[in-house]
Amino acid sequence: MARNKEKLVLLLDVGPSMHGVLSEVEKLCSMLVEKKLIFSKYDELGVVVFGTEESKNDLTTEVGGYQNITVLQDIKVVDGDLVDTLQKLPRGRVDGDFLDAIVVGMDMLIKKYKDLHKGKKRLCLITNAIHPIKDSFEGSKEDQVMTIAEQMAAQGMKIESIVVRGRLSRDANKGVMDENDHLLSIFSKKTLTRIVYVDTPTSLLGALKTRRVTPVTVFRGHLELSPHMKIKVWVYKKTQEEKFPTLKKYSEKAPASNKLATHQVKVSYEYKSVDGSSTSVIPPEQRIKGYRYGPQVVPISTAEWDAVKFKPEKGIKVLGFTDASKIKRHCYMKDVYLFIAEPGNTRATLAVSAIARAMKEMNAVAILRCVWRQGQQNVVVGVLTPNISQNYKIPDSFYFNVLPFAEDVREYQFPSFNSFPASWQPNDQQQKAADELVQMLDLAPSGKEALLPEFTPNPVLERFYRHLELKAKQPDAAVPPLDETLKNIVEPDPELVAENKSVFDALHRHFELRQNPKLKKSSRQWYQEKQSGSNAHVSSGQAVNSIENQPPVKIEKIGDLTPVQDFEAMMSQRDNPEWVEKAIKELREKILALLIHSDEGDKYQKAVECVAALRKGCILEQEPGPYNDLMHHIRQYCEEKGIKSLPQLLASRDLTLISKSEAEDSDVTAEEARSFFVKMEPKPDV
Amino acid sequence: MDLDPEDVFKDEEDDPDNEFFQQSESSKEYVVYLVDASRKMFSTTCPGNDQKDETHFHTAVSCIAGSLKTQIISRSYDEVAICFFNTREKKNLQDLNGVFVFNVAEREHLDRPTARLIKEFDCIEESFMREIGSQYGIVPGSRENSLYNALWVAQALLRKGSIKTADKRILLFTNEDDPFGSLQDAAKKDMTRTTLQRAKDAQDLGISIELLPLSRPDSEFNVSTFYADLIGLDGEDLAQFMPSASQKLEDMKDQLRKRMFTKRVVRRIGFHIANGLSIELNTYALIRPTVPGAITWLDSVTNHPLKTERSLICEDTGALIQEPPKLFQPYRNENVKFLPEEIAEIKRISPGKLRLLGFKPLSCLKDYYNLRPSTFVYASDQEVVGSTCIFIALHRSMLKHNRFAVAYYGASNHPQLVALVAQDEITSAGAQMEPPGMHMIYLPYSDDIRDDEEIFPDTEEDAPRADEDQIQKAAALIKRIYVKDFSAFQFANPALQRHYAVLQALALAEDDIPETTDETAPDEEGLTRPAVVRAAEAFKHSVYGDSYDEESDMGKEKMSEASRKRKAIAENAAKDYDWGNLADKGQPYLERIQLNNSR
């Protein structure tokens, strides 16, 4: 336990050019500590910021220099205060020097640990590296960095650099950036660590592995190509899902006065025989396991079972090689394994390299049968694919994916697309619109892949840890909304959508969707059952759900939680025309209530979303009256109260009157509609 | 040590995600297998495996036997009846001629399959002629109509249960496309009409009738002669029904097997493509690990099942906790409490929806982006008309441009970033090998991916790389052990096979447990063929020089008895053959795999 304790110093650039991303840096670093508090409570951490006006570090006092570097926190065992510190990083005023910061960080680690804990000491630098570092007194910058990097390697330290670039760094001098990149790459080579370049706030949040998992081999032994050709390999997990933490059950039975109460809950199982009216608890030794076989339950004792069960021998054997196209990607069953040659074994490394490269050239994969350990009661059949290393320091390796057995596959038949009626077949224009979407809504334009899994944080876990931190301070804190920076993981990037407005317009022009009018009631009910529980979600704050795609869940009333969704659902209930009227009336009341109960305008945003939905609904139903009345009412209300922000909000979203061009029954001209809020003159405060 | 059967089949750290495939009693299926037993079923043969001819009757019966075995494992709540028609003997509740309901002891006619049913049905062909007999039941001059009777009996069997809680199906196996062909006009017309009416009555009661026609290369089963009307096929459906008559027996069996399954929709979801454009998709679990059923604890004295009672007990006070407890996470020296609803709320992100985020080239989908089995999605116009059209258009574009979609799937329990990969339809000899649609692949997040390949190089030197000669030698070896026709799921799971073989034997109180074959065992014989051995030696030499043996002896593991024996066999094998001669022929290797291909 103790020997795995990590000693980490964060080196954070807080200079002016970093201010735009500092809130992400704060989130990332506090998440790091939050997870350490749960999973690695004894890790130690120090925080250094650079780019600050003042200077506070040992080196500046001892030897001078090292200006604009502040040790925010000396190295200590992680605690809650560290989270607080990291959540309010200072905003610096000067452009920092990352090399000075690295030296300060090293100095801290050396002073504290001498040359102990090799390999457990780590520096993590987050900077945009767009400002030149100071020239050294002797030798070139490169020489200087080389010396420092060698010293670092000798001390058994590693440095991880996260460099914020692209959209996130403003116009910077390319020469300086290249120079800095080169200098940082020296560290990376000498201490065998990586530099990560990120160009979106989302990927910045995913750039640092916030939880350190000690690698454990799944298997060490031979990869057997044939009975007399074996290669020594180690197998690790390449992917493994970081699960939602398993929370313990909490008991409130103990009196509050009991300070020593553990509040733990024990789950106990009792096995009872039910014979007529009497029940009796059966002791463990009188129990026997039964296995279902059709309607029968077959009792088998553990000893019997051990005698007959399947007992394969440990080992990994190649069953054959085959063409990569034979294995469909969707057949991969589980998380993925990594096969590497036994570390330090040059021959094995060469053998793996040769096989991997030959496979790559031939576009071949290997089928393997694996029994990871003695005593395992099943075999795993899977596919080995080559992983040709792009980094000359890192050996070639393989990935291994588990494949299904015959019993695991349901071979359902689905209709050929050609068999559908002509009306279901896309015509040329529709096909073109789809082609454009597939090409233009591009997440990987030349080398800039967005949402790269390696840099994409898990939004659910992020939200959990944030809620945990909030709750630690305020036990009844509500579940926080999804972080803005993580919206891009769960919703389309608004910029990308805006850039492709014409593509989406074409899509809307060429494709039409409508509710199936012939739908039988029974199937609707079925659908409702399946969907229940999903209609109570909190609005994501956007009135984007179209009326035609709402699940037909019977909505009787517009609730406070998701008024927009409720409204849209109610409007689409076609079994009775009164729903429309009721929906409009109720949403109108909801909007007015939101206005009146708004404190400093905190509910305006929600009100505006409701207005947007109401407007859309009223146009669809060609019922401009109620909406226009409401708008007049709102304008009057705002004029009386001297509220400016709400009309501005409404105007900015074009939520003005419904004009005649939009609904025949309206008597408002387009011009009137346009100038509706412009003409508004708030009364001066009395 | 107590072993949980679920543990037996999983790797230590994994818990297979079972939510998709656990069958509940509420979604069961009632099936009547209706098998034509006329002479024609016995006299018509197809060339089967090993050049041996198979009768159509045998084909039908072996398909059903196979299906029963699958069913008892994976869908044991489903109930089946097996019913022959055009039989000499009769056995049915209505006492109708020419219909024989096959059953075994301790079982209702329509009931869950039992070990005994499977066992006795396996040898039905031995006793069939003696005990049931074949006799065509529709002859001129007689009012008997065995097909009509068969449908009637099947419908009566399916009277059990409500169609609200169960799917009811009749699967009809026959090779006679014109059952009333021998009759004169008036009689033929009359019988056709009454039979169709009987079928329609059954269908009106919610029973679906599916035809599994058997045909021969030289005489195609003509659906339109009679059966199209009976099962209600017209137009395009009819054209699609018999894709190809000249297919091999194996292909036909394959098709029959696939038709015997009903598709089960896992979930219906909205695929949000753009604002206001959200289509309807059905999701299907085509691939999920099959694990042995849950254990049931029994009283070892009476063999009666025990009731398991789970209770929550407060550790501080010993009190029983009734209400669902709060949850907590120790954090910052205190216990932070959560309500179960709050946890659900945290996970709730675009609930029930699949939101399109954009597209990427297929090359971006790395081999290690995988966590769980994929889910198949296929469009439906049932709720939202127009869904299929958009789906097809996107599907074509994605295939054309070699791109996959990235989307966020807001599943309530496990919201996740996913890749949608379009799969084109693949057919082989008329049978669908890969259905058209999209596969949803669950993508990892940054914290799910590890970089252990980067941890070891702690030397100054570059990593060793194979040179061209070594790569060529490796390629030569790979070519020697290359399998042309491999299918990803051709092996039966040996552990599961063993498990059920044991259960079946014990269920029938048999003394011997039958041997099960492990199809996944490597073809040791093939691997010790001289050509393979020579290629392996050449590769070994190019990488290890003369030091290979030294290398393998250094291993910490002691060589087991078995592998020593194998080694001996291998060495002998290598000695006994004329290397040069055999190696040059490049004999096909891996017999076991090749055999399995034709399953």
Side-chain angles (χ1 to χ4, degrees):
Chain A
M1 188 74 190
R3 62 200 167 88
N4 276 331
K5 281 190 295 184
E6 183 187 59
K7 293 95 179 52
L8 172 67
V9 175
L10 294 172
L11 309 171
L12 310 174
D13 188 345
V14 297
S17 59
M18 285 289 286
H19 288 186
V21 293
L22 275 187
S23 72
E24 267 69 47
V25 174
E26 286 169 345
K27 280 179 219 158
L28 177 65
C29 296
S30 46
M31 170 95 133
L32 176 81
V33 179
E34 284 161 21
K35 284 198 187 172
K36 279 187 185 295
L37 285 174
I38 295 174
F39 300 110
S40 354
K41 277 188 267 194
Y42 305 107
D43 278 5
E44 293 171 68
L45 185 87
V47 184
V48 176
V49 292
F50 58 103
T52 51
E53 218 166 358
E54 59 280 15
S55 313
K56 177 176 158 284
N57 63 69
D58 282 1
L59 289 179
T60 190
T61 353
E62 287 162 14
V63 297
Y66 298 97
Q67 297 295 312
N68 309 110
I69 297 175
T70 304
V71 176
L72 222 48
Q73 176 61 60
D74 280 322
I75 299 171
K76 66 166 175 177
V77 174
V78 287
D79 60 16
D81 297 342
L82 260 170
V83 179
D84 300 336
T85 307
L86 287 164
Q87 276 179 343
K88 40 178 199 289
L89 292 174
R91 268 47 178 175
R93 299 277 187 76
V94 288
D95 298 333
D97 181 323
F98 64 82
L99 192 60
D100 278 359
I102 290 174
V103 176
V104 168
M106 280 175 70
D107 177 59
M108 287 164 74
L109 285 171
I110 292 171
K111 283 203 176 110
K112 176 116 184 169
Y113 304 110
K114 313 289 183 296
D115 57 353
L116 299 169
H117 305 296
K118 285 206 167 128
K120 305 287 179 232
K121 290 176 286 189
R122 208 154 69 92
L123 295 160
C124 177
L125 171 71
I126 304 180
T127 179
N128 51 16
I130 58 172
H131 304 293
I133 59 166
K134 287 186 280 291
D135 285 321
S136 58
F137 296 116
E138 46 196 279
S140 65
K141 287 180 185 176
E142 197 174 328
D143 295 340
Q144 198 185 2
V145 167
M146 198 68 93
T147 318
I148 297 171
E150 267 159 17
Q151 170 71 0
M152 206 181 260
Q155 294 280 339
M157 284 181 206
K158 299 206 172 232
I159 178 163
E160 188 175 352
S161 313
I162 296 174
V163 182
V164 184
R165 284 283 167 78
R167 278 201 264 171
L168 300 180
S169 68
R170 289 171 232 151
D171 37 342
N173 182 325
K174 185 155 185 314
V176 175
M177 288 200 288
D178 288 348
E179 185 192 44
N180 287 341
D181 289 353
H182 173 65
L183 296 175
L184 285 173
S185 74
I186 296 174
F187 283 113
S188 151
K189 271 177 214 146
K190 286 279 167 201
T191 70
L192 298 155
T193 47
R194 51 160 82 195
I195 311 179
V196 173
Y197 289 91
V198 293
D199 59 0
T200 62
T202 318
S203 51
L204 173 55
L205 283 188
L208 182 63
K209 294 223 189 304
T210 45
R211 181 164 170 205
R212 229 165 18 95
V213 184
T214 318
V216 181
T217 49
V218 177
F219 175 91
R220 295 183 191 195
H222 290 116
L223 168 62
E224 211 179 299
L225 277 102
S226 79
H228 39 224
M229 175 66 233
K230 303 173 185 176
I231 304 171
K232 282 203 173 139
V233 293
W234 287 14
V235 181
Y236 286 94
K237 276 292 180 77
K238 175 63 188 173
T239 58
Q240 181 153 24
E241 186 174 347
E242 191 185 339
K243 295 255 165 70
F244 198 93
T246 316
L247 305 185
K248 292 182 184 136
K249 296 187 174 61
Y250 186 84
S251 164
E252 290 173 317
K253 297 279 182 198
S257 56
N258 183 356
K259 294 283 175 251
L260 297 171
T262 63
H263 298 286
Q264 304 251 5
V265 174
K266 198 175 97 195
V267 185
S268 95
Y269 291 94
E270 276 189 341
Y271 300 89
K272 293 181 175 172
S273 99
V274 189
D275 274 326
S277 53
S278 68
T279 52
S280 54
V281 175
I282 302 295
E285 63 276 12
Q286 201 189 317
R287 292 195 321 245
I288 186 166
K289 273 178 188 160
Y291 292 86
R292 287 205 166 276
Y293 192 64
Q296 282 169 284
V297 181
V298 182
I300 311 180
S301 70
T302 308
E304 272 180 299
W305 189 241
D306 282 344
V308 294
K309 70 189 176 193
F310 182 65
K311 283 165 270 188
E313 229 180 273
K314 175 186 169 178
I316 298 182
K317 294 175 180 181
V318 173
L319 298 183
F321 290 85
T322 191
D323 201 72
S325 66
K326 297 280 177 203
I327 311 295
K328 298 277 179 239
R329 181 63 172 79
H330 63 258
C331 286
Y332 293 3
M333 290 288 277
K334 295 207 333 176
D335 39 19
V336 186
Y337 297 86
L338 169 76
F339 278 55
I340 58 169
E342 182 181 63
N345 183 333
T346 310
R347 299 288 170 198
T349 310
L350 279 176
V352 166
S353 172
I355 301 272
R357 283 168 189 257
M359 280 163 75
K360 186 87 184 169
E361 271 177 28
M362 300 164 75
N363 196 27
V365 297
I367 307 300
L368 260 53
R369 171 195 197 264
C370 305
V371 179
W372 306 121
R373 57 186 184 277
Q374 203 61 45
Q376 183 178 316
Q377 293 174 34
N378 63 348
V379 296
V380 173
V381 170
V383 57
L384 195 72
T385 47
N387 172 35
I388 306 302
S389 172
Q390 302 304 322
N391 180 332
Y392 59 88
K393 285 277 178 194
I394 297 170
D396 295 329
S397 54
F398 298 109
Y399 296 126
F400 176 77
N401 271 286
V402 177
L403 293 175
F405 285 111
E407 293 92 340
D408 304 338
V409 178
R410 317 275 176 278
E411 292 179 88
Y412 296 155
Q413 305 264 285
F414 288 84
S416 276
F417 290 159
N418 307 331
S419 71
F420 288 132
S423 63
W424 288 17
Q425 307 289 346
N427 60 34
D428 289 351
Q429 284 172 327
Q430 288 173 324
Q431 193 59 59
K432 194 162 162 268
D435 281 358
E436 297 244 300
L437 182 76
V438 169
Q439 285 172 287
M440 301 307 289
L441 201 66
D442 190 0
L443 292 175
S446 57
K448 288 222 159 71
E449 186 178 345
L451 294 176
L452 191 71
E454 275 87 342
F455 297 142
T456 306
N458 182 337
V460 172
L461 289 183
E462 201 274 346
R463 200 181 192 186
F464 170 75
Y465 288 110
R466 208 144 41 88
H467 193 204
L468 180 68
E469 173 64 25
L470 289 175
K471 275 196 165 232
K473 291 184 178 139
Q474 194 195 338
D476 59 350
V479 178
L482 195 64
D483 192 282
E484 277 303 317
T485 317
L486 302 177
K487 281 265 170 71
N488 283 353
I489 302 171
V490 304
E491 285 171 14
D493 179 1
E495 269 181 51
L496 188 62
V497 172
E499 277 167 29
N500 290 296
K501 188 172 177 304
S502 62
V503 176
F504 282 105
D505 287 348
L507 212 58
H508 281 286
R509 213 165 38 246
H510 294 297
F511 290 101
E512 192 201 358
L513 292 173
R514 60 195 156 79
Q515 283 286 330
N516 186 353
K518 285 184 292 189
L519 204 61
K520 285 191 200 126
K521 202 160 179 248
S522 62
S523 99
R524 278 196 185 237
Q525 274 168 351
W526 173 84
Y527 191 37
Q528 181 175 348
E529 279 160 23
K530 292 275 170 187
Q531 290 288 321
S532 63
S534 65
N535 63 327
H537 69 284
V538 175
S539 160
S540 57
Q542 272 183 290
V544 293
N545 298 314
S546 73
I547 282 173
E548 56 273 4
N549 68 36
Q550 279 303 305
V553 177
K554 198 69 140 197
I555 299 286
E556 310 268 28
K557 193 175 175 317
I558 292 183
D560 286 321
L561 215 49
T562 58
V564 171
Q565 282 82 346
D566 293 352
F567 169 73
E568 288 174 352
M570 201 191 271
M571 291 285 277
S572 61
Q573 281 164 197
R574 291 294 173 198
D575 51 345
N576 188 335
E578 276 167 37
W579 285 123
V580 171
E581 204 180 310
K582 186 172 157 72
I584 292 175
K585 182 164 164 281
E586 286 204 22
L587 188 63
R588 192 186 133 95
E589 279 164 17
K590 204 52 62 182
I591 293 167
L592 291 175
L594 283 169
L595 292 193
I596 291 159
H597 296 126
S598 235
D599 185 9
E600 310 258 27
D602 62 349
K603 300 211 171 71
Y604 287 171
Q605 195 56 44
K606 194 164 180 182
V608 168
E609 299 305 338
C610 292
V611 170
L614 183 66
R615 187 172 199 279
K616 197 172 165 200
C618 285
I619 292 173
L620 267 166
E621 293 301 328
Q622 292 290 298
E623 290 269 13
Y627 173 84
N628 283 352
D629 286 351
L630 175 71
M631 295 313 281
H632 282 288
H633 190 90
I634 291 179
R635 186 166 79 164
Q636 196 186 348
Y637 177 84
C638 292
E639 282 176 354
E640 276 170 19
K641 300 274 174 187
I643 299 167
K644 291 179 197 160
S645 56
L646 180 63
Q648 278 167 3
L649 265 173
L650 290 167
S652 72
R653 299 271 306 261
D654 282 334
L655 294 171
T656 171
L657 296 176
I658 297 177
S659 69
K660 200 165 180 60
S661 62
E662 290 169 297
E664 191 53 39
D665 286 351
S666 168
D667 43 17
V668 179
T669 65
E671 178 53 36
E672 266 177 77
R674 224 180 350 264
S675 56
F676 181 68
F677 284 115
V678 182
K679 280 199 296 195
M680 188 181 146
E681 288 289 332
K683 284 181 186 167
D685 288 343
V686 183
Chain B
M1 189 184 67
D2 263 8
L3 277 174
D4 184 344
E6 265 118 69
D7 281 345
V8 170
F9 280 80
K10 68 187 188 193
D11 285 346
E12 271 165 339
E13 325 90 288
D14 291 326
D15 63 332
D17 188 357
N18 280 10
E19 62 162 325
F20 288 126
F21 57 87
Q22 266 180 359
Q23 191 197 8
S24 68
E25 216 168 334
S26 64
S27 65
K28 61 182 166 187
E29 189 174 274
Y30 294 134
V31 182
V32 175
Y33 295 113
L34 213 50
V35 185
D36 189 351
S38 67
R39 285 279 165 202
K40 193 174 172 187
M41 287 289 283
F42 292 91
S43 58
T44 318
T45 56
C46 276
N49 265 346
D50 314 330
Q51 312 305 315
K52 241 168 60 190
D53 283 3
E54 266 182 31
T55 66
H56 276 162
F57 185 78
H58 175 80
T59 306
V61 163
S62 59
C63 280
I64 294 169
S67 167
L68 290 175
K69 282 172 195 157
T70 318
Q71 201 185 328
I72 200 165
I73 298 177
S74 60
R75 298 173 292 145
S76 82
Y77 288 109
D78 291 352
E79 300 189 7
V80 294
I82 302 164
C83 181
F84 297 102
F85 66 104
N86 291 324
T87 53
R88 185 185 69 230
E89 305 297 323
K90 64 177 171 183
K91 184 170 153 238
N92 57 77
L93 288 174
Q94 290 76 13
D95 205 34
L96 296 166
N97 283 328
V99 182
F100 193 100
V101 179
F102 174 82
N103 204 3
V104 296
E106 293 168 33
R107 191 177 172 276
E108 289 180 38
H109 287 329
L110 180 73
D111 205 344
R112 296 163 67 180
T114 61
R116 184 170 304 280
L117 181 78
I118 289 175
K119 190 172 161 76
E120 291 190 18
F121 189 74
D122 260 347
C123 37
I124 179 94
E125 281 175 277
E126 291 166 26
S127 62
F128 189 85
M129 281 308 168
R130 193 173 62 247
E131 285 166 16
I132 304 174
S134 164
Q135 183 179 331
Y136 197 61
I138 303 167
V139 285
S142 155
R143 299 296 304 156
E144 281 302 331
N145 180 344
S146 52
L147 180 57
Y148 178 93
N149 290 352
L151 290 169
W152 190 354
V153 168
Q155 185 191 324
L157 286 168
L158 290 168
R159 200 171 288 154
K160 187 174 177 179
S162 150
I163 58 154
K164 283 185 191 128
T165 56
D167 283 338
K168 297 185 178 186
R169 307 162 73 208
I170 296 172
L171 297 185
L172 182 76
F173 293 82
T174 184
N175 61 357
E176 178 56 81
D177 54 9
D178 189 13
F180 308 111
S182 63
L183 304 183
Q184 295 302 315
D185 278 354
K188 182 174 183 176
K189 223 175 187 173
D190 192 43
M191 282 213 184
T192 305
R193 187 182 52 77
T194 52
T195 308
L196 292 180
Q197 187 56 44
R198 169 96 343 238
K200 189 169 178 304
D201 288 349
Q203 283 154 344
D204 287 346
L205 289 169
I207 297 169
S208 69
I209 302 177
E210 284 156 55
L211 177 68
L212 296 131
L214 299 132
S215 49
R216 273 196 319 181
D218 57 339
S219 68
E220 187 178 336
F221 190 100
N222 189 348
V223 192
S224 35
T225 312
F226 169 74
Y227 276 102
D229 291 335
L230 186 119
I231 56 175
L233 284 183
D234 50 13
E236 299 244 15
D237 288 346
L238 186 56
Q240 284 282 314
F241 190 78
M242 292 293 294
S244 149
S246 61
Q247 51 199 232
K248 288 180 297 189
L249 177 73
E250 287 307 322
D251 293 335
M252 185 164 72
K253 273 191 174 173
D254 202 37
Q255 273 206 16
L256 291 177
R257 196 162 46 82
K258 288 177 182 177
R259 283 189 187 181
M260 284 161 77
F261 282 116
T262 27
K263 289 198 286 264
R264 288 179 200 273
V265 178
V266 175
R267 210 158 274 139
R268 209 175 278 195
I269 56 173
F271 182 25
H272 189 102
I273 294 165
N275 287 350
L277 218 54
S278 180
I279 66 171
E280 182 189 348
L281 297 180
N282 284 336
T283 68
Y284 300 86
L286 299 191
I287 301 178
R288 290 294 179 273
T290 299
V291 291
I295 52 165
T296 306
W297 284 102
L298 304 173
D299 179 340
S300 62
V301 178
T302 62
N303 266 357
H304 284 183
L306 299 176
K307 210 172 116 204
T308 309
E309 280 182 10
R310 173 178 178 267
S311 44
L312 302 178
I313 295 164
C314 169
E315 288 204 346
D316 299 318
T317 61
L320 212 60
I321 300 172
Q322 303 288 353
E323 66 284 0
K326 281 185 185 169
L327 302 163
F328 76 98
Q329 170 70 53
Y331 179 71
R332 285 190 171 209
N333 301 324
E334 57 181 317
N335 291 332
V336 178
K337 279 163 274 186
F338 290 87
L339 296 170
E341 304 87 79
E342 288 177 313
I343 299 297
E345 177 63 34
I346 288 171
K347 292 183 181 175
R348 198 173 290 139
I349 298 173
S350 4
K353 279 224 172 70
L354 184 62
R355 292 196 74 151
L356 176 67
L357 305 178
F359 297 88
K360 290 183 184 181
L362 278 173
S363 59
C364 288
L365 187 63
K366 301 279 186 285
D367 273 324
Y368 58 90
Y369 293 166
N370 210 74
L371 294 172
R372 291 187 288 151
S374 61
T375 296
F376 184 71
V377 300
Y378 193 87
S380 158
D381 271 35
Q382 199 184 349
E383 298 268 348
V384 184
V385 177
S387 294
T388 307
C389 183
I390 299 190
F391 187 74
I392 296 177
L394 286 176
H395 183 264
R396 293 206 174 125
S397 304
M398 284 158 70
L399 286 174
K400 182 161 76 188
H401 299 292
N402 285 318
R403 292 170 84 84
F404 68 96
V406 179
Y408 191 80
Y409 180 36
S412 58
N413 210 14
H414 206 288
Q416 187 109 24
L417 204 58
V418 298
L420 292 171
V421 181
Q423 172 64 53
D424 205 1
E425 183 177 22
I426 299 175
T427 55
S428 162
Q432 189 175 65
M433 307 306 287
E434 291 287 345
M438 297 188 197
H439 291 280
M440 184 156 93
I441 290 164
Y442 300 87
L443 295 173
Y445 292 113
S446 59
D447 277 332
D448 305 333
I449 301 175
R450 303 183 181 172
D451 295 310
D452 295 341
E453 62 265 53
E454 297 180 12
I455 53 180
F456 284 105
D458 44 8
T459 53
E460 284 281 303
E461 288 144 44
D462 293 349
R465 288 277 191 269
D467 61 28
E468 199 46 41
D469 174 62
Q470 289 162 337
I471 295 172
Q472 285 322 312
K473 293 286 193 312
L477 175 61
I478 290 171
K479 272 183 204 132
R480 288 292 169 195
I481 37 185
Y482 212 74
V483 191
K484 280 210 175 62
D485 293 307
F486 181 80
S487 131
F489 37 87
Q490 66 184 26
F491 300 117
N493 181 345
L496 209 57
Q497 291 295 322
R498 184 78 191 149
H499 180 87
Y500 284 105
V502 170
L503 285 190
Q504 189 179 6
L506 291 173
L508 296 169
E510 283 173 352
D511 294 334
D512 294 329
I513 290 172
E515 279 301 311
T516 47
T517 48
D518 179 358
E519 298 172 357
T520 67
D523 179 2
E524 306 259 323
E525 204 180 311
L527 285 165
T528 49
R529 285 214 175 106
V532 179
V533 172
R534 204 171 66 154
E537 288 302 330
F539 173 60
K540 217 191 283 187
H541 189 78
S542 79
V543 174
Y544 293 83
D546 295 327
S547 63
Y548 176 79
D549 291 331
E550 216 175 292
E551 168 92 19
S552 59
D553 289 343
M554 281 190 327
K556 285 168 217 142
E557 286 175 312
K558 269 180 254 152
M559 196 184 277
S560 69
E561 188 60 35
S563 52
R564 196 172 295 135
K565 208 151 107 196
R566 273 199 304 275
K567 200 176 172 191
I569 293 168
E571 278 162 1
N572 289 337
K575 267 181 234 151
D576 288 350
Y577 286 106
D578 175 3
W579 283 16
N581 185 17
L582 281 172
D584 291 338
K585 286 183 188 160
Q587 293 183 359
Y589 137 96
L590 284 191
E591 281 167 340
R592 196 191 299 277
I593 283 190
Q594 282 169 349
L595 271 182
N596 287 331
N597 285 328
S598 52
R599 273 179 354 112

